[in-house]
């Protein structure tokens, strides 16, 4: 689908995000279900999703709350998981940073893993897009995702324990992230960072309060940065060797 106007950019964003619907529905339903099992009522569960709108951070906070982890650790862990949004925002800025403030504010609220991955892939594939077209594409990617996150969080919370265990809704979490990050492994630094993060997370699985995830994330980021710097030094003409 060619992008020639903001309307066509918006439509392409919707089309490109449609595959995410297959995982958002079970993902959101599972969160609603687990939130009510953790003691939140339907209103609190829906409010949590609307205010935070960050599935991984929500699941992290929920799990730690169930384990009676101190509130400071819960907040720190949720913030650590959501730090990726700061990196998402930084990498999106060169593409949509000159858009009107209200559009950037709305995009900041609606930046989720799916919209970020789809938008960055499209922007790099078609750098000739204008800023209004980029914004339209971004809002197209969130159109099938964000409303369904709210709706099926509510459905999961209302259905609650009536969902049979045999449905195994938790399959949606790893599948969602694998589907999103696999196309992003484009350099040795990306692969090294992911590999180290996975290994360290397995080694640190017994660290209390799930802090092993934070340690693994830091190890992955440090590795990725070091490999990136090493690759830069090896480029022809580089002065730093």
């Amino acid at each position: 689908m060619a992008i020639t106007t903001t309307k066509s950019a918006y439509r392409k964003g919707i089309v490109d995000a449609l595959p995410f619907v297959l995982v958002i529905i079970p993902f959101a339903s599972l969160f609603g279900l687990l939130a009510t099992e953790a003691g939140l009522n339907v209103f609190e569960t829906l409010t949590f999703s609307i205010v935070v709108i960050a599935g991984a951070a929500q699941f992290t906070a929920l799990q730690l709350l169930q384990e009676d982890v101190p509130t400071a650790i819960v907040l720190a862990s949720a913030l650590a998981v959501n730090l990726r949004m700061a990196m998402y925002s930084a990498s999106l800025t060169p593409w949509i940073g000159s858009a009107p403030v209200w559009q950037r504010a709305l995009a900041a609220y609606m930046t989720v893993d799916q919209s970020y991955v789809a938008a960055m892939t499209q922007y790099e594939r078609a750098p000739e897009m204008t800023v209004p077209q980029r914004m339209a594409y971004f809002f197209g990617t969130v159109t099938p995702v964000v409303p369904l996150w709210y709706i099926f969080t509510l459905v999961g919370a209302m259905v609650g324990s009536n969902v049979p265990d045999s449905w195994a809704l938790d399959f949606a979490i790893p599948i969602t992230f694998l589907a999103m990050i696999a196309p992003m492994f484009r350099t040795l630094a990306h692969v090294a960072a992911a590999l180290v993060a996975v290994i360290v997370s397995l080694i640190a699985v017994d660290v209390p309060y799930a802090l092993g995830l934070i340690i693994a994330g830091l190890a992955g980021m440090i590795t990725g940065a070091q490999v990136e710097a090493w690759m830069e030094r090896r480029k022809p003409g580089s002065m730093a060797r």
Side-chain angles (χ1 to χ4, degrees):
M1 181 185 296
I3 293 178
T4 54
T5 63
T6 54
K7 289 183 179 179
S8 60
Y10 180 73
R11 287 195 294 269
K12 180 166 175 52
I14 293 176
V15 171
D16 289 352
L18 286 179
F20 294 125
V21 170
L22 297 176
V23 289
I24 283 296
I25 291 176
F27 198 1
S29 301
L30 179 63
F31 174 76
L33 189 156
L34 293 179
T36 51
E37 287 184 351
L40 301 182
N41 60 37
V42 173
F43 176 76
E44 290 169 338
T45 301
L46 183 59
T47 302
F48 196 179
S49 274
I50 291 175
V51 172
V52 180
I53 190 172
Q58 289 178 239
F59 274 101
T60 301
L62 202 59
Q63 180 182 354
L64 294 177
L65 286 171
Q66 286 179 297
E67 296 175 359
D68 293 325
V69 171
T71 304
I73 299 294
V74 174
L75 292 175
S77 299
L79 285 173
V81 172
N82 250 12
L83 274 178
R84 70 189 190 286
M85 296 301 170
M87 293 185 280
Y88 290 172
S89 298
S91 62
L92 283 171
T93 297
W95 300 101
I96 60 175
S98 59
V101 173
W102 71 268
Q103 290 184 2
R104 283 183 282 145
L106 196 55
Y109 169 70
M110 292 186 170
T111 295
V112 292
D113 298 297
Q114 294 85 356
S115 62
Y116 170 76
V117 170
M120 286 302 297
T121 302
Q122 176 62 31
Y123 297 164
E124 292 175 354
R125 185 188 300 139
E128 71 279 3
M129 289 172 65
T130 64
V131 171
Q133 288 172 348
R134 292 172 190 160
M135 290 305 308
Y137 180 87
F138 181 91
F139 289 126
T141 64
V142 299
T143 297
V145 172
V146 173
L148 288 179
W149 176 254
Y150 301 150
I151 292 170
F152 281 91
T153 292
L154 181 61
V155 170
M158 295 180 70
V159 172
S161 59
N162 293 323
V163 176
D165 292 340
S166 58
W167 287 18
L169 293 177
D170 52 347
F171 80 95
I173 299 174
I175 288 179
T176 299
F177 283 95
L178 285 173
M180 288 188 301
I181 66 172
M184 303 294 284
F185 290 163
R186 294 195 293 265
T187 69
L188 178 62
H190 298 160
V191 176
L195 184 61
V196 169
V198 169
I199 293 173
V200 174
S201 66
L202 293 175
I203 294 173
V205 69
D206 292 326
V207 175
Y209 303 143
L211 293 176
L213 287 178
I214 296 177
I215 298 171
L218 290 173
M221 286 189 282
I222 292 171
T223 302
Q226 290 298 315
V227 173
E228 189 79 40
W230 176 75
M231 292 172 65
E232 286 294 322
R233 290 195 299 270
R234 289 185 60 83
K235 284 183 178 178
S238 173
M239 299 297 290
R241 289 178 178 272

